[in-house]
Amino acid sequence: MSEIQLPQFPEPYWREMKLPTFEKLTTSIKADVGIVGGGITGITAAYLLSKQNLKVVLIDSDEILNGTTGHTTAKITAQHGLIYDEFMKHMGEEKTAKYYHAAIKAKEFIKNTILENKIDCDYETQDAYVYTNDDNYIMQLENEIKAYGKLEISGEYLSEMPLNLPVKAAVMMKDQAQFHPLKYLKALVQASKDNGVEFYENTTAVDIEYNKHPNIVTKDGHRITCNHVIAASHFPFYDKQSFYFARMYPERSYVLAINSKLKYPGGMYINAESPSRSVRSTPGEKGALWLIGGENHKTGQGESVIHHYEKLEDFSSKHFEMKNIAYRWSAQDLTTIDKVPYIGAVSKGESNVYVATGYRKWGMTNGTAAAMILADKITETPNEYADIYEPSRFQPDPSVRKFIEMNADVAKHMLKGKLDFSNNELAQIKPDEAIVTRINGKRTGVYKDKEQTLHAVDTTCTHLGCEVEWNSGDRSWDCPCHGSRFSYEGNVMEGPAKKPLAKVDIKSEHG
Ligand code: FES
């Protein structure tokens, strides 16, 4: 391991800038369109719909741009790893071509919007590379470039790349792009505000009620009555018996922003094998920042989170003459059963409530494509790409729920652990650390903050009863089953769970 220190707290480089703030919603209101989620999908949809003279209200349970969009590596590319050969085999050439063209249209939309609004957001055209240093993946890369040929994607098969990494083969996609996502979206928020969009922060949507129109119900009991709802909250806050949690799996990944002694050679890179590695650069105040990402694993199922950062640190020292680590952060992404996002009506036959989710790691193009598709649906404009994303392409299977409940139950019964905690055990927790113990027979997570205050929660996830695990890198309790995340105080940070973890009162429990 290198001598270089990891930053103590996770903080994405993108959020260093000043962002607008908005009040909480304190009354019931009406709108044509209610949008839940202030990331790239929600904000782009608000921007597009406000240009059509629709009254749009956007709410976010936290601050806007603090979810997945604020934690991305922000590559604007149709090269979503090795997918085109796989998609051609699974869904045929025509649908695969639609997926590619939807991503390219999204890329063009971003570029045109930047030009139109004169947005200064470090936009640069870059070639994208997927590479391998593992013989087992060479055939996949060869098949991928053949798929590029059939789809008329401009690219090349290479045996070396501008970036100096050990490589056996690479597939390059020409003229993709990168930018500073929050500089871009801040400008879209301003333009949307100028068009009359109302934004509310710290306003959590908990349900939709139907009267004549759908009403978004907030945690505080206010209602947004609207003609259309877009659930762009990463995990859909509203499911309508569609079992999204059983049709997607959550993965976490990590990013370091480093300064290097080397000059960045250009390009955006991702490898094909595990452990995953992704590299791009962005202009920083002290010269180029290299964004080194990877170490993907299923949420709640990894080793100690800090080890993932340390592995990226080792990789950066070994290959890029790292000087220092300026930022570190992590992200959670959702992947659907067939790797194509769910964009469209939340359930079959529904024409007023839409979801957009399951972007894997490719939220800049998939999120923008989703906003364009949903804006077209609402304004009843034909969209040639919409059909491939329809969430109803998989029929929800209620038996899946049963299966998961059963598994969760088994998992609970298989829990190993102590019969009960001792004072000594709690005293030994170091500040900013957590343990899992048993209090009165119940599995309990205890976190000690820097002021030595203990925060204890029941570790049973309030979604379907799996047991959450401590995420030391982000100080959260993460559920391995469907990716719900809770703060150390038990509050929901990420769904599908809607209710907080039950707090455990250590003093009274311990007498
Ligand atoms: Fe489903 Fe925890 S049991 S997210």
Side-chain angles (χ1 to χ4, degrees):
M1 234 183 60
S2 74
E3 296 298 301
I4 292 170
Q5 288 289 308
L6 276 172
Q8 194 183 0
F9 295 105
E11 172 72 12
Y13 163 66
W14 313 123
R15 285 191 58 86
E16 273 291 279
M17 61 185 284
K18 193 160 167 42
L19 288 164
T21 57
F22 300 97
E23 299 294 315
K24 186 176 180 159
L25 181 68
T26 54
T27 178
S28 291
I29 50 173
K30 285 190 178 160
D32 294 314
V33 185
I35 299 176
V36 179
I40 190 164
T41 309
I43 291 171
T44 309
Y47 171 74
L48 285 168
L49 291 163
S50 67
K51 293 216 301 186
Q52 301 293 321
N53 290 325
L54 290 169
K55 175 158 191 237
V56 181
V57 169
L58 185 151
I59 62 171
D60 196 294
S61 59
D62 188 5
E63 295 166 359
I64 60 166
L65 297 171
N66 199 22
T68 313
T69 299
H71 293 73
T72 172
T73 51
K75 296 175 180 171
I76 311 167
T77 177
Q79 191 189 58
H80 297 172
L82 289 180
I83 47 159
Y84 289 106
D85 177 55
E86 182 183 332
F87 280 7
M88 296 257 279
K89 285 182 182 133
H90 290 165
M91 57 187 195
E93 189 167 329
E94 194 190 329
K95 286 184 176 168
T96 306
K98 280 191 183 186
Y99 183 92
Y100 168 70
H101 288 291
I104 291 295
K105 274 264 153 61
K107 180 171 88 71
E108 282 166 9
F109 171 85
I110 293 172
K111 185 175 180 184
N112 292 337
T113 305
I114 290 169
L115 292 173
E116 220 173 88
N117 294 277
K118 299 190 179 59
I119 305 172
D120 180 5
C121 60
D122 307 328
Y123 181 92
E124 282 174 18
T125 300
Q126 294 280 354
D127 296 335
Y129 299 80
V130 52
Y131 69 94
T132 188
N133 194 33
D134 181 338
D135 288 327
N136 296 320
Y137 284 81
I138 289 179
M139 193 188 275
Q140 283 188 40
L141 266 71
E142 287 170 356
N143 290 340
E144 190 73 357
I145 198 70
K146 283 184 203 147
Y148 279 27
K150 288 192 189 129
L151 296 165
E152 297 180 6
I153 298 174
S154 174
E156 262 181 79
Y157 186 83
L158 304 162
S159 54
E160 51 187 35
M161 319 184 286
L163 188 67
N164 190 13
L165 278 175
V167 57
K168 294 197 165 147
V171 168
M172 181 264 281
M173 190 181 281
K174 214 149 177 55
D175 292 341
Q176 305 302 295
Q178 64 183 34
F179 68 165
H180 187 307
L182 268 52
K183 285 185 184 171
Y184 167 74
L185 288 165
K186 181 183 176 183
L188 257 57
V189 168
Q190 186 57 51
S192 305
K193 256 178 73 184
D194 295 345
N195 292 339
V197 176
E198 290 177 27
F199 290 85
Y200 298 95
E201 293 185 325
N202 302 308
T203 302
T204 307
V206 291
D207 202 1
I208 291 180
E209 277 175 7
Y210 284 86
N211 292 321
K212 203 162 147 218
H213 299 285
N215 290 278
I216 302 170
V217 184
T218 72
K219 199 167 154 194
D220 294 341
H222 303 303
R223 285 172 174 55
I224 305 167
T225 304
C226 33
N227 296 325
H228 301 275
V229 177
I230 295 179
S233 50
H234 198 214
F235 194 94
F237 76 97
Y238 174 76
D239 188 277
K240 204 171 182 201
Q241 295 291 298
S242 295
F243 304 109
Y244 282 94
F245 65 83
R247 300 197 277 150
M248 294 191 284
Y249 66 86
E251 270 199 341
R252 295 202 70 72
S253 56
Y254 304 85
V255 184
L256 297 181
I258 66 157
N259 289 110
S260 162
K261 291 176 197 151
L262 304 174
K263 183 169 162 16
Y264 193 79
M268 306 184 295
Y269 305 85
I270 192 159
N271 66 347
E273 59 267 37
S274 282
S276 53
R277 294 288 180 261
S278 149
V279 184
R280 65 159 277 197
S281 78
T282 190
E285 274 176 20
K286 294 184 196 148
L289 279 172
W290 296 41
L291 307 186
I292 316 296
E295 285 292 306
N296 304 15
H297 66 84
K298 288 217 172 136
T299 299
Q301 296 181 6
E303 53 196 288
S304 166
V305 167
I306 285 297
H307 291 165
H308 293 294
Y309 287 113
E310 287 169 355
K311 285 183 186 159
L312 291 180
E313 186 181 346
D314 286 348
F315 175 76
S316 307
S317 297
K318 185 165 165 201
H319 297 291
F320 306 135
E321 294 190 33
M322 175 169 68
K323 282 198 293 198
N324 66 291
I325 304 170
Y327 301 87
R328 70 172 171 100
W329 68 91
S330 69
Q332 179 150 309
D333 290 287
L334 295 164
T335 299
T336 68
I337 295 171
D338 61 359
K339 300 187 184 169
V340 178
Y342 298 133
I343 303 166
V346 64
S347 60
K348 219 179 174 106
E350 173 62 71
S351 58
N352 301 90
V353 180
Y354 303 104
V355 293
T357 188
Y359 301 158
R360 281 201 301 149
K361 275 156 263 306
W362 308 101
M364 299 299 101
T365 43
N366 279 335
T368 303
M372 294 163 80
I373 288 167
L374 297 183
D376 281 347
K377 279 189 189 281
I378 288 168
T379 55
E380 296 179 7
T381 310
N383 184 301
E384 58 187 307
Y385 311 115
D387 60 327
I388 62 162
Y389 298 100
E390 281 299 336
S392 60
R393 66 185 181 274
F394 295 114
Q395 286 310 309
D397 177 359
S399 63
V400 171
R401 178 167 221 156
K402 195 82 221 126
F403 172 77
I404 286 162
E405 275 170 349
M406 276 163 47
N407 268 358
D409 207 37
V410 169
K412 263 197 291 185
H413 284 104
M414 279 172 53
L415 273 176
K416 288 193 219 93
K418 303 164 195 79
L419 284 176
D420 233 327
F421 78 115
S422 66
N423 249 346
N424 193 19
E425 191 177 10
L426 298 187
Q428 278 174 6
I429 309 175
K430 296 202 186 87
D432 199 27
E433 272 188 12
I435 60 160
V436 173
T437 182
R438 288 198 165 253
I439 297 184
N440 284 351
K442 270 206 224 130
R443 191 175 186 268
T444 305
V446 185
Y447 169 71
K448 187 181 272 182
D449 69 22
K450 292 202 192 66
E451 278 76 44
Q452 311 270 344
T453 308
L454 294 169
H455 304 266
V457 291
D458 183 331
T459 54
T460 306
C461 176
T462 55
H463 178 229
L464 287 178
C466 292
E467 295 296 331
V468 297
E469 297 295 339
W470 180 243
N471 168 344
S472 54
D474 297 302
R475 298 167 178 80
S476 58
W477 293 104
D478 295 357
C479 182
C481 288
H482 319 107
S484 290
R485 299 181 59 230
F486 304 86
S487 71
Y488 62 77
E489 291 172 302
N491 296 324
V492 178
M493 296 164 68
E494 195 137 8
K498 290 181 180 165
K499 292 197 188 117
L501 296 176
K503 285 195 200 251
V504 176
D505 183 349
I506 292 189
K507 281 191 214 91
S508 60
E509 290 284 359
H510 199 226

